[in-house]
């Protein structure tokens, strides 16, 4: 059986999230993004997969849609991810804070 990779934190083992969709969103944004922004987003995506984004980044949760969260990557760069289930997520938006759909509803 193929088990997802897990890490240990204070003796607890938890599976990594896997990115299962939204590659097209990332690809579209990447066409006009600079290398520094691309690196920052990739670093944030890796942090989401290993659960460290919830410690290392400011996270804004959308109250109305409990499966969507915003990861503030840089001052004017946000990543919106949709937690699909206990071990998977998708990219819903990457780009400037001002254009982030639903950010006004985030707490």
């Amino acid at each position: 059986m193929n088990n997802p990779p897990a890490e240990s934190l204070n003796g607890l083992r938890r599976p990594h999230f896997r990115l299962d969709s939204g590659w097209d969103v990332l690809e579209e944004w990447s066409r006009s993004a600079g290398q520094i922004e691309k690196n920052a987003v990739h670093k944030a995506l890796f942090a989401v997969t290993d659960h460290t984004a919830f410690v290392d980044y400011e996270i804004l949760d959308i109250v109305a849609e409990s499966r969507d969260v915003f990861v503030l990557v840089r001052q004017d760069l946000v990543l919106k991810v949709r937690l699909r289930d206990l071990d998977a997520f998708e990219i819903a938006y990457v780009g400037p804070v001002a254009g982030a759909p639903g950010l006004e509803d985030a707490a």
Side-chain angles (χ1 to χ4, degrees):
M1 179 190 277
N2 190 6
N3 292 326
E7 67 179 20
S8 178
L9 178 67
N10 296 330
L12 301 174
R13 295 187 56 79
R14 36 179 197 183
H16 288 206
F17 281 125
R18 73 181 186 288
L19 175 58
D20 69 355
S21 62
W23 290 105
D24 56 331
V25 174
L26 182 63
E27 184 177 318
E28 178 68 30
W29 170 80
S30 292
R31 290 183 187 140
S32 62
Q35 192 61 51
I36 292 172
E37 289 81 15
K38 289 177 191 178
N39 291 348
V41 167
H42 288 131
K43 183 177 177 182
L45 284 168
F46 281 113
V48 172
T49 65
D50 71 7
H51 302 269
T52 61
F54 303 97
V55 175
D56 295 340
Y57 291 89
E58 185 175 349
I59 304 293
L60 300 173
D61 191 12
I62 300 176
V63 178
E65 301 173 32
S66 63
R67 293 184 175 258
D68 291 351
V69 296
F70 287 96
V71 179
L72 298 177
V73 178
R74 299 185 62 167
Q75 185 174 0
D76 191 39
L77 181 59
V78 68
L79 170 66
K80 180 179 181 182
V81 297
R82 182 166 297 121
L83 305 175
R84 296 174 58 93
D85 56 39
L86 294 177
D87 68 347
F89 72 99
E90 70 178 292
I91 301 169
Y93 174 81
V94 181
V97 171
L103 186 60
E104 65 277 355
D105 298 328

